Amino acid sequence: MHYDPRIDLKPAPLKYNPLNALVAPRPIGWITTVDKQGRANLAPFSYFNAFSSDPPIVGFAPNAHPAKSQDKDTLRNVRDVPEFTASIVSADLAKAMNETSRGLPYGESEFDAAGLTPAASQNVRTPRVAQARAALECRVFDVIALPAGKDGRSSHLVLGEVIGVYIDDALIGANGRVDSLALAQVARLGYNDYTNVTALYEMRRPD
């Protein structure tokens, strides 16, 4: 089939927008921010990725809440305190990550609700997830307003410069590389589907 998403996001026989299934797997940015009072907010974003290696730039897209049509706490926080951390989700943290997607009242701790521990960062005020085996400390570079959706809700792209990197020493092999299988990173597919990194193969670029 072929269709124009500007006309219909899910024409028959599709029952759901297939974009998340087609552009996948997507790494999950487990984003921590803080408000003006220093209270931490933790939320997972599957619209997350790296956009530059030097300088290292990562970004995530906090869409407005579909029912309330209001900005998420994460976006509110990075506007007030332009820093965030992105903790990496390993397979053993998948359930805890999912728990932090629960909508809590502003100011309530997702760390407490999910049984997680905040760990102090070195270069930003925002903590990382202590249980995560890797994390990025980021300073907001830009917040870009994206086109509104068909339902009118807003969407933004938050870009951050990575100014600190935490890696569990046990993940670094004798070859100086991060062991992707040991990290067992979780990624999002379409619908409610996820996958873990359990296998890999090498493919070198042509000379």
Side-chain angles (χ1 to χ4, degrees):
M1 68 179 295
H2 180 277
Y3 68 96
D4 187 338
R6 295 171 298 180
I7 300 172
D8 191 343
L9 289 173
K10 46 183 187 299
L14 297 173
K15 295 183 180 180
Y16 306 93
N17 184 346
L19 182 65
N20 290 344
L22 298 175
V23 184
R26 300 181 307 282
I28 297 167
W30 210 1
I31 306 297
T32 306
T33 57
V34 294
D35 64 14
K36 291 179 179 179
Q37 287 73 46
R39 297 175 298 183
N41 178 273
L42 177 62
F45 292 86
S46 67
Y47 279 88
F48 167 80
N49 220 311
F51 296 96
S52 171
S53 60
D54 184 14
I57 301 291
V58 297
F60 66 96
N63 298 325
H65 191 284
K68 301 176 183 177
S69 190
Q70 65 184 33
D71 291 340
K72 291 185 176 178
D73 296 344
T74 301
L75 181 60
R76 175 179 174 178
N77 285 352
V78 295
R79 282 175 165 160
D80 290 339
V81 182
E83 299 173 343
F84 64 91
T85 61
S87 296
I88 306 304
V89 181
S90 296
D92 62 322
L93 294 172
K95 289 185 178 179
M97 174 275 296
N98 191 48
E99 182 62 31
T100 62
S101 67
R102 187 184 300 275
L104 298 180
Y106 187 68
E108 283 196 18
S109 173
E110 290 81 9
F111 280 94
D112 291 344
L116 297 166
T117 306
S121 298
Q122 294 192 25
N123 296 333
V124 295
R125 289 162 285 183
T126 308
R128 59 181 171 84
V129 177
Q131 288 85 347
R133 305 187 70 187
L136 310 175
E137 301 175 6
C138 305
R139 179 172 53 207
V140 172
F141 172 74
D142 201 359
V143 178
I144 302 168
L146 302 177
K150 289 182 177 297
D151 56 3
R153 67 172 174 156
S154 62
S155 183
H156 294 79
L157 173 62
V158 178
L159 295 173
E161 179 182 1
V162 180
I163 60 174
V165 179
Y166 163 75
I167 305 174
D168 184 341
D169 291 338
L171 291 176
I172 304 173
N175 59 3
R177 297 182 177 183
V178 171
D179 186 337
S180 297
L181 294 181
L183 182 57
Q185 194 167 0
V186 175
R188 185 75 185 269
L189 302 171
Y191 320 110
N192 293 316
D193 298 333
Y194 291 80
T195 187
N196 304 331
V197 175
T198 57
L200 54 85
Y201 60 91
E202 185 176 60
M203 182 182 298
R204 296 183 179 272
R205 293 183 179 181
D207 292 335

